[in-house]
Amino acid sequence: MKEILSKQNAGVVLAKEENFIEWKEVLLKFKENFGKDVYESWIKNIDLKKEFNHYVVLSAPTRFVRDWIVSRYADQILDIIKTFKKSIERIEFLIEENQDKSFKPDLVNKKHVTSIESSLLNYNRFNPNNTFDNFIVGESNELAYTAARKICVQSSHYNPLFIYISVGMGKTHLLNAIGLEVSKSKKAMFISAERFMYHFIRSIKNNEMVKFKDFFRMANVFIIDDIQFVSGKEAMQEEFFHTFNALMEKGSQIVISSNCPPSDLDKIQERIRSRMSGGLVIDIQSPNHDLKIKILKNKFEEIKLNFKENYILSDQVFEFLASEITSSVRELLGALNRVLAFCKINTKSPTIFECKRILKDFINSNGKNINIETIQNLVASHFNLNIQEMLSQRRSRSLARPRQIAMYLSKQHTTNSLPDIGRKFANRDHTTVIHAVKKIDELIRKDNEIRQSVNEIKKKII
Ligand code: ADP
Ligand code: MG
């Protein structure tokens, strides 16, 4: 990105520079959209440097901040900027180190001394919509549900409680329900491992480690979601381990979720792994047909009530959804939403034929089992690459394009969620996948060579 910029700065300016965007207003919009905490910590440090017809150049104070913003918020940022200037198609970032001055003092500013507490409190909020009451129980999740209920009544019953299943199957929902219930009478803290890490890094920067430690150690019940994201990050693991021990010593309850059992968390230190296996480890199984129907019907009633809409959906459609969507509860509910959008527009229940059309990208074609690995293999061999190269972090176009094509095809031809796809591409963020899908979508329209490649690979997939 930097090379492109310096070329342009050297005079090879391709687009005409025009100034229309009121950056102050954009910032206000960012604040509204991202919330105060994310805005204060990251977004407000972005500045508009140059504005062209089709893109803008923004600046970030450090590489770290830039990477963080790009990996998490780039799409939203672009969308917001677009509302101010429709023709903008992309954003570019430059790092303006000297801006550091305004960045750092802000973080150590007296006024921000309590930033840990206030920002953590923001993230410690529970989602009032995911409760025990609307967590539908069946054979596959009964054990997890019962254990979760139990620790709300009597802490340290199973300590730690470790719940695992692949994404979209109700972990966060269940953890949230525990948090809601427990916080009626005790101090519960609920944070994703990713967030924990973010605050950890932030408090190192702000010299607030003591506060960080104290903050988490106050919890009577400490709930940490998606622990698999801790993988590898050594300093953070160290901190986590100490927090963990301090809490256990105090008799606090710990609840952990993960997308795999402790034994498969191979980048997590052995001592943490064994600590985590020391209590009760439960897996939630994939829901069976009956449970899927129950979840669908419950959600359907909930939506009708919340939106005061009187949708009509035939039993056949429920059956169809439950038998065709096999990947996750999240996808199942996504499919339901798609169907309901149809109901709303057409004021009738879709037929099965219509369902197939509406949901074609949720459902594998021909029932052939196409997975991300198959797609990666096909793409790599089409471009004469080996998989490792294609998945590597290198950014040269000869690797990036095939990688993006593989992400695009994975989105189109599997039912995996975006975070899922990201994970299978060497643990990339889901926003990277979104970006890839958009990019290839665009290139298919504009670039014959790309279109041909995509079509050729597609033929092999189907
Ligand atoms: P995970 O954290 O495992 O990725 P989530 O908890 O975010 O999954 O669940 C995905 C979606 O499915 C959420 O909307 C959640 O409310 C819903 N869901 C999952 N399992 C159930 C269930 N047993 N009953 C009701 N809703 C569920
Ligand atoms: Mg989750």
Side-chain angles (χ1 to χ4, degrees), residues 167-173 225-226 228 257 330:
V167 288
M169 294 293 202
K171 291 183 295 292
T172 303
H173 186 143
D225 201 6
D226 288 323
Q228 72 275 6
S257 87
R330 182 174 295 129

Side-chain angles (χ1 to χ4, degrees), residues 356-373:
K356 280 189 184 155
R357 186 169 51 76
I358 310 168
L359 300 173
K360 65 175 183 309
D361 49 335
F362 274 92
I363 302 162
N364 284 346
S365 44
N366 312 336
K368 227 206 248 177
N369 198 7
I370 298 152
N371 56 31
I372 297 176
E373 286 80 6

Side-chain angles (χ1 to χ4, degrees), residues 314-333:
S314 69
D315 268 349
Q316 249 192 328
V317 173
F318 283 111
E319 287 294 325
F320 177 82
L321 290 174
S323 54
E324 291 298 320
I325 313 288
T326 50
S327 47
S328 73
V329 179
R330 182 174 295 129
E331 297 266 314
L332 188 67
L333 298 178

Side-chain angles (χ1 to χ4, degrees), residues 320-321 324 335 338-339 341-343 345-346 348-363:
F320 177 82
L321 290 174
E324 291 298 320
R338 188 86 68 88
V339 168
F342 176 98
C343 294
I345 295 164
N346 300 284
K348 65 155 197 147
S349 177
T351 61
I352 295 304
F353 181 74
E354 282 161 335
C355 279
K356 280 189 184 155
R357 186 169 51 76
I358 310 168
L359 300 173
K360 65 175 183 309
D361 49 335
F362 274 92
I363 302 162

Side-chain angles (χ1 to χ4, degrees), residues 119-299:
S119 64
L120 281 172
L121 287 175
N122 262 328
Y123 282 97
N124 203 29
R125 274 199 211 119
F126 300 104
N127 178 348
N129 301 318
N130 288 344
T131 62
F132 278 126
D133 287 341
N134 67 3
F135 187 83
I136 313 299
V137 185
E139 245 172 75
S140 52
N141 58 17
E142 197 176 355
L143 215 56
Y145 175 84
T146 313
R149 275 283 197 192
K150 254 195 190 138
I151 58 158
C152 292
V153 183
Q154 191 193 349
S155 272
S156 309
H157 204 89
Y158 311 113
N159 208 7
L161 174 63
F162 187 104
I163 298 174
Y164 72 90
I165 187 174
S166 58
V167 288
M169 294 293 202
K171 291 183 295 292
T172 303
H173 186 143
L174 197 56
L175 261 52
N176 186 82
I178 296 175
L180 275 176
E181 184 64 32
V182 168
S183 59
K184 289 178 190 164
S185 56
K186 290 180 202 139
K187 192 151 190 66
M189 287 194 194
F190 178 37
I191 192 163
S192 71
E194 227 179 350
R195 275 273 142 205
F196 186 83
M197 191 173 74
Y198 156 87
H199 286 292
F200 174 69
I201 294 169
R202 222 174 101 129
S203 37
I204 292 178
K205 273 187 162 180
N206 298 359
N207 258 328
E208 294 189 323
M209 269 320 283
V210 177
K211 276 197 172 154
F212 178 88
K213 284 178 202 289
D214 290 349
F215 184 83
F216 285 105
R217 287 167 201 193
M218 271 178 340
N220 302 120
V221 178
F222 181 60
I223 307 168
I224 188 151
D225 201 6
D226 288 323
I227 195 75
Q228 72 275 6
F229 288 123
V230 174
S231 291
K233 292 136 190 144
E234 288 300 322
M236 149 95 180
Q237 290 203 24
E238 197 70 25
E239 185 51 39
F240 180 69
F241 184 69
H242 292 308
T243 306
F244 199 110
N245 284 341
L247 286 169
M248 293 281 280
E249 259 162 43
K250 221 179 79 172
S252 300
Q253 172 73 45
I254 296 172
V255 185
I256 303 165
S257 87
S258 164
N259 67 354
C260 61
S263 54
D264 287 0
L265 291 164
D266 56 356
K267 287 194 186 133
I268 283 191
Q269 295 170 6
E270 178 52 39
R271 54 184 186 158
I272 299 183
R273 214 177 323 145
S274 81
R275 266 292 200 181
M276 291 196 297
S277 326
L280 181 65
V281 178
I282 302 181
D283 63 329
I284 298 180
Q285 306 275 328
S286 297
N288 62 17
H289 191 79
D290 276 0
L291 181 56
K292 284 202 260 180
I293 297 273
K294 272 195 210 150
I295 292 175
L296 281 171
K297 292 206 160 157
N298 190 67
K299 187 51 91 183

